[in-house]
Amino acid sequence: MNYFKEAVCFDPVNYYLLLEKEDLTELKQKLSPKDIQEIVQKLESIHVNYRQEQISVVNKPTHFLGFDPKDYVSLATYYWPNPNTKDGLPYISRDGEANPEGKKFDKDKLRQLAFITYYQGILYFLTEDKKYYLSLKDNLTYFFLDEITGMNPNLNHAQMILGKNLGRGIGIIDFTANFTYPLRLLKILNDLGYIEEEFHSALKSWIEKLALWLEESPLGLEEKYARNNHGIFYDLGLATIYDFLEEDKKILPLIYQMIEFRLEEEIASDGSMPKETARTKSKNYSLMAIKGVYDFNTLIREYGYDLYHLEDWYYRKTNINLKKSLEFLLDRLVTKKVSWEFEQIIPFDEATLIPLLVESRKQFLNIHFDMIKKLTMKFDILKMFL
């Protein structure tokens, strides 16, 4: 099973957990050498050498766009050539149907890098084999930091719609829904002494520049005020960046923003997220959006906050709705006591329910773990955390 290629193409964000130090240490304690070797074998396909294969933002067709070759460029995922015009412009929306033309640009490269870094980081911690560290270090250096091949620290041309614009705030999610997870893992590994100071300093400098762009650029501000999963992942992505940069004071405003501007508007009284259930891939987007909230909460617990326990604030319904959202998805997608009544136009891998199950266990809900055996999991690598 090629976890790398298949999972990245299928639905990468739902194949991550936002980890805590305790998650890694507990995992290492419970796994036998045989268990670890099986995980190593399952993840054999993540060994991709970006430098050797020249996988970089500079290797894409930007000449007709007039962009700096080092700028990240991606096409709007669900936009296709217009059949009613000779040149196909402007592109038009077909929600849920990914245009393969996007593979010519940088989105898949970034998603793959995130996936590789995350799982090589886990293998490095479990095995203490430095080859995993050297590999992820070289890939990150080549893609982000190298003077010739490294990406400029902005997302000015992410998710552009040909014939309409040269980039959108929506495109920021290319980074925040993917690289958030390896960045968090790198922070933990650095805290534990697994990362060299020189490399950490260089990566930190690049991330600082990206953070400034996210805070001050027109597209960054556009995404800050976005609805649905985009706003949630803006908050999560920026909070993870601040955590990595050790800029703790900047995290508190994001907590209030998540409560006031996301949770109060996005979660309905029954626990559903209407902006996500309205999508043509409603299962994937419902899981993704609420996962962003749970992951955000995992991060801020380290700073003394917990969205499930806000009794001292006037947002009493927040913790109630969060628990309802767990129950809403568990009832429909895990125990299946209630049917899923929304549109889902692509196959659904029930392995993407694992982050939901992990979150449910943390919140001490009555989880029927015997039901896990009945789920159809295509890429079950995260089962090691159950």
Side-chain angles (χ1 to χ4, degrees):
M1 177 66 68
N2 191 326
Y3 280 89
F4 167 62
K5 289 185 178 178
E6 298 294 339
V8 167
C9 292
F10 198 72
D11 190 13
V13 65
N14 289 333
Y15 290 100
Y16 295 119
L17 294 174
L18 194 84
L19 296 173
E20 300 176 87
K21 291 178 186 176
E22 294 76 15
D23 295 322
L24 286 174
T25 54
E26 289 174 9
L27 180 65
K28 194 169 186 177
Q29 289 169 359
K30 81 174 185 178
L31 293 176
S32 68
K34 182 180 178 182
D35 293 331
I36 293 175
Q37 187 56 39
E38 288 178 358
I39 293 169
V40 168
Q41 291 174 353
K42 280 187 173 183
L43 290 171
E44 185 176 355
S45 59
I46 65 173
H47 302 305
V48 177
N49 188 313
Y50 268 43
R51 188 179 299 276
Q52 184 177 9
E53 298 188 20
Q54 297 185 334
I55 301 173
S56 160
V57 293
V58 302
N59 296 318
K60 62 174 178 293
T62 56
H63 57 279
F64 73 98
L65 300 170
F67 295 160
D68 182 338
K70 293 182 68 176
D71 278 347
Y72 175 92
V73 177
S74 65
L75 301 188
T77 306
Y78 304 132
Y79 278 76
W80 293 71
N82 190 332
N84 298 318
T85 60
K86 289 183 179 180
D87 59 3
L89 301 177
Y91 276 29
I92 59 171
S93 175
R94 286 162 54 178
D95 188 39
E97 300 179 47
N99 182 354
E101 189 178 353
K103 294 185 180 297
K104 298 177 184 177
F105 296 89
D106 299 322
K107 183 178 179 180
D108 279 0
K109 301 172 192 174
L110 181 63
R111 290 166 81 172
Q112 290 170 358
L113 180 64
F115 195 82
I116 291 168
T117 304
Y118 181 84
Y119 283 102
Q120 284 191 334
I122 291 174
L123 291 180
Y124 176 39
F125 181 80
L126 291 178
T127 65
E128 300 193 15
D129 188 335
K130 206 164 184 179
K131 72 179 183 183
Y132 297 113
Y133 168 68
L134 293 175
S135 177
L136 70 84
K137 174 188 171 184
D138 192 49
N139 282 342
L140 291 172
T141 298
Y142 188 76
F143 195 85
F144 290 126
L145 310 178
D146 189 277
E147 289 185 6
I148 297 173
T149 61
M151 169 183 158
N152 290 330
N154 69 69
L155 295 155
N156 285 322
H157 306 300
Q159 297 264 351
M160 59 183 292
I161 302 175
L162 292 177
K164 285 190 177 181
N165 55 55
L166 298 179
R168 299 182 295 161
I170 279 177
I172 290 171
I173 206 166
D174 287 3
F175 188 93
T176 56
N178 290 283
F179 215 78
T180 285
Y181 297 91
L183 190 66
R184 168 64 173 171
L185 180 59
L186 290 169
K187 168 66 162 57
I188 294 172
L189 292 176
N190 184 66
D191 289 347
L192 294 172
Y194 281 75
I195 306 293
E196 295 167 317
E197 183 177 349
E198 183 179 359
F199 171 59
H200 178 260
S201 178
L203 185 59
K204 186 175 180 180
S205 177
W206 191 92
I207 293 294
E208 283 175 344
K209 295 171 185 174
L210 179 65
L212 187 63
W213 183 89
L214 287 169
E215 294 167 342
E216 298 183 355
S217 71
L219 293 185
L221 294 174
E222 179 183 316
E223 188 74 340
K224 176 179 179 179
Y225 296 108
R227 297 298 194 267
N228 71 8
N229 59 78
H230 283 272
I232 290 169
F233 273 89
Y234 178 88
D235 291 350
L236 172 62
L238 204 50
T240 306
I241 285 173
Y242 291 151
D243 179 59
F244 182 82
L245 298 176
E246 298 182 315
E247 296 183 358
D248 303 358
K249 292 181 180 179
K250 290 187 175 182
I251 292 178
L252 182 59
L254 291 175
I255 297 173
Y256 283 92
Q257 183 166 286
M258 177 66 79
I259 295 167
E260 294 183 12
F261 195 56
R262 315 296 184 206
L263 302 187
E264 288 287 305
E265 296 183 10
E266 303 297 343
I267 303 178
S269 59
D270 66 351
S272 67
M273 302 186 80
K275 292 183 177 66
E276 312 304 336
T277 55
R279 302 294 297 274
T280 59
K281 298 193 293 188
S282 58
K283 290 181 181 180
N284 303 74
Y285 279 107
S286 292
L287 284 170
M288 174 186 176
I290 203 61
K291 180 179 183 298
V293 178
Y294 300 149
D295 291 342
F296 183 88
N297 197 49
T298 295
L299 182 68
I300 67 172
R301 279 201 300 263
E302 293 194 4
Y303 296 91
Y305 299 92
D306 192 331
L307 298 177
Y308 288 97
H309 303 286
L310 299 174
E311 285 80 2
D312 294 336
W313 298 5
Y314 70 88
Y315 305 102
R316 295 291 182 92
K317 74 173 186 178
T318 297
N319 56 359
I320 297 173
N321 283 355
L322 274 176
K323 291 173 183 176
K324 283 186 177 180
S325 71
L326 279 172
E327 293 168 353
F328 180 89
L329 292 170
L330 288 168
D331 288 347
R332 287 162 176 78
L333 299 178
V334 180
T335 65
K336 301 178 182 176
K337 293 189 296 185
V338 182
S339 62
W340 186 260
E341 60 267 45
F342 311 102
E343 191 173 7
Q344 177 69 23
I345 65 172
I346 66 169
F348 177 68
D349 179 13
E350 292 182 330
T352 58
L353 295 168
I354 293 175
L356 175 71
L357 294 169
V358 171
E359 177 69 17
S360 301
R361 184 175 60 187
K362 286 181 179 179
Q363 302 309 322
F364 306 106
L365 293 186
N366 182 23
I367 305 303
H368 304 282
F369 276 95
D370 58 316
M371 293 298 299
I372 297 173
K373 298 177 182 178
K374 300 179 181 180
L375 298 177
T376 303
M377 294 189 179
K378 191 173 183 182
F379 313 114
D380 61 353
I381 193 66
L382 283 179
K383 283 178 72 175
M384 61 183 167
F385 287 100
L386 287 173

